Structure formats: C-alpha cells, structure tokens
Amino acid sequence: MKYYYTFIFLILHVTAVQAQNGYTAPQAVGAPLQGGRMMDMNITSRAIDVSKFNGIAGSPFLSAEYKQAFVKTKTGEQFSNAWIKFSTYSNEILLENASQLVALANIDSVSYRNEANDGTQTNVILKTGYPGIDGKTPESIYQILAYRGDLQLLKYYHTKVELVKKMGMPDQKTFVTTPAYYIYNAGDKYIKRVKLNKNLADEFAEFPEAKKKASELSINFRDEKDVIKFISSL
C-alpha cells in the first residue's frame, strides 16, 4: 500500500503512552513534517497494528518518545522533521499517518539528536544496506555507534516477548532486548560479529595509535560507551 505525503500541508506528530501494565498504542497530537524537496513524494509503507502489544511490559521501541528525524530513502528522497520511532521488535522505522501507524519501506538511513538524562546529546544514526549475516539482510536496520576510516561499529537490537516470572506476583509478558555488535569494513564490504571484550582492539590494528589510545584512556572494552570513546579518539 502506498501513502502519498504532501509536505506543504501534511501535519504529523506522535506520542506514546506508557501505561503501568505495559505498552499502549500512541495518539496523534499534530506537528509539521517537511520534505527535502517541495513536491509530492511516494512513500511505500504498510499499516501496523500495535494493539496486540497492549498489556506487555516494557517497550518495543528504541526510544520511549518519538524523535524528530532526518530520513533518507534508497531512491534519494529526503525528509526533515519527520517524527518517527524505531521498533526494535520488528526492526522497522514507524510514523503515524492519518491516525494509523505505518512502517516505512525502502529506508536508507535515519538520524536524530538524542538527549540523555544527564543532558548529554548524541547523534543517533540508523542505517540499512549491510551484507547479510546471521539471518539478517541488506534491509535490516543497524545503529552506527562509531566509525573511523572504513570501519564502523554497528549494533543490532534483538527484541522479543518473554514471559517473566515474578515471586508472589502474576507472570508478566515483557519486551526483552538483547544487543549484538558487528564490525563493518566499508572498503572491503565485509561484516563480522564481534563481542565487547579486549579482543575488539585487534579490529583496529590498522590505526598505529590504537593501543596507545586504549591505554591512555583506560578503555574498558566490555563497556559500550568506552568502546565508542576509544573509536572516536582514533
């Protein structure tokens, strides 16, 4: 199904309500969506029914709030100020159209600014187009955590629903997310799965200062934030 978005007139925004007993479907409140070009765009999408997630603890999304993002399609179309969510459960970019949640197809990349609880801001980049591995395809969406030269550190989110048993309380269906990490070499078009441990430093042997930086910064290669700091320092 195709939805046609006219950027001069289109009004979109989405908020999510997180109830105490689990996820609840979002409600529309209105905010502008602007296109990279002042013309109508054809966006391929499919409707998503999130009502089946009601009552499940946790969230199927990377962020609890909708993010104002820049979206680029594989055919070169670009959108700014698109209010989106990334579903780690279905590995899809979602937005709301005419009070209906839809998953966007043909996505190349999405980026937005994220502010942590301590006020620290980071640029979140979600990207497709990587070689198939571990059952994933070039359509699969990864987060680019850090990059230097041809090397990129990628994160893939595996989210599933599990029945969590609680002492003295009813069992609760819960969204559980497990990360997987990958190194991608853009020059060789090669991707491999890695673990966050001291051996990860070997993947950056082409950088002469890598070992020195790791020592100077006292990098803990089991810590994601430390690994990002290490790669950014090269």
Side-chain angles (χ1 to χ4, degrees):
M1 180 180 296
K2 291 188 176 181
Y3 296 87
Y4 297 88
Y5 296 76
T6 305
F7 295 116
I8 299 176
F9 302 102
L10 184 62
I11 301 296
L12 286 178
H13 184 53
V14 277
T15 59
V17 178
Q18 190 71 33
Q20 289 184 352
N21 65 338
Y23 175 78
T24 300
Q27 302 294 322
V29 297
L33 171 68
Q34 301 173 357
R37 297 186 235 157
M38 298 304 292
M39 60 179 290
D40 291 353
M41 299 288 187
N42 292 342
I43 302 298
T44 303
S45 60
R46 66 181 182 84
I48 299 294
D49 178 15
V50 294
S51 63
K52 62 183 179 181
F53 296 149
N54 288 345
I56 302 177
S59 173
F61 300 121
L62 179 60
S63 170
E65 301 82 21
Y66 280 76
K67 297 296 183 179
Q68 190 175 14
F70 174 81
V71 179
K72 183 178 179 181
T73 71
K74 292 182 179 179
T75 52
E77 292 155 332
Q78 301 178 15
F79 308 81
S80 59
N81 301 333
W83 292 86
I84 63 93
K85 274 196 172 186
F86 174 46
S87 170
T88 59
Y89 182 75
S90 63
N91 192 244
E92 294 174 305
I93 302 298
L94 308 180
L95 59 75
E96 193 172 50
N97 175 54
S99 298
Q100 185 178 44
L101 201 62
V102 298
L104 301 182
N106 202 33
I107 292 295
D108 174 78
S109 58
V110 171
S111 62
Y112 60 84
R113 297 291 292 174
N114 185 64
E115 184 172 344
N117 293 331
D118 61 3
T120 304
Q121 292 194 351
T122 56
N123 189 38
V124 176
I125 304 174
L126 304 171
K127 184 84 171 65
T128 66
Y130 296 101
I133 186 175
D134 295 341
K136 303 171 187 62
T137 72
E139 302 300 318
S140 298
I141 301 173
Y142 296 80
Q143 181 181 356
I144 301 177
L145 294 180
Y147 59 91
R148 272 296 178 268
D150 285 336
L151 297 183
Q152 300 177 17
L153 176 64
L154 308 178
K155 184 177 184 179
Y156 187 91
Y157 296 85
H158 293 274
T159 298
K160 58 183 179 180
V161 176
E162 294 184 354
L163 187 64
V164 177
K165 298 183 180 296
K166 299 183 178 181
M167 292 290 292
M169 298 179 65
D171 297 342
Q172 174 69 65
K173 287 185 177 180
T174 305
F175 287 107
V176 177
T177 299
T178 303
Y181 298 92
Y182 296 84
I183 288 289
Y184 175 66
N185 189 313
D188 297 335
K189 307 295 183 184
Y190 175 76
I191 189 170
K192 65 179 291 188
R193 186 167 181 173
V194 296
K195 294 183 178 180
L196 297 191
N197 57 36
K198 62 181 181 180
N199 295 327
L200 185 59
D202 296 337
E203 301 295 334
F204 297 89
E206 65 181 76
F207 297 92
E209 70 277 24
K211 289 186 177 180
K212 181 180 178 181
K213 287 289 185 180
S215 177
E216 290 177 347
L217 298 173
S218 301
I219 296 297
N220 175 8
F221 282 96
R222 296 183 182 277
D223 182 86
E224 181 182 295
K225 290 184 178 179
D226 262 23
V227 173
I228 292 173
K229 180 170 67 174
F230 164 70
I231 297 173
S232 300
S233 73
L234 298 178

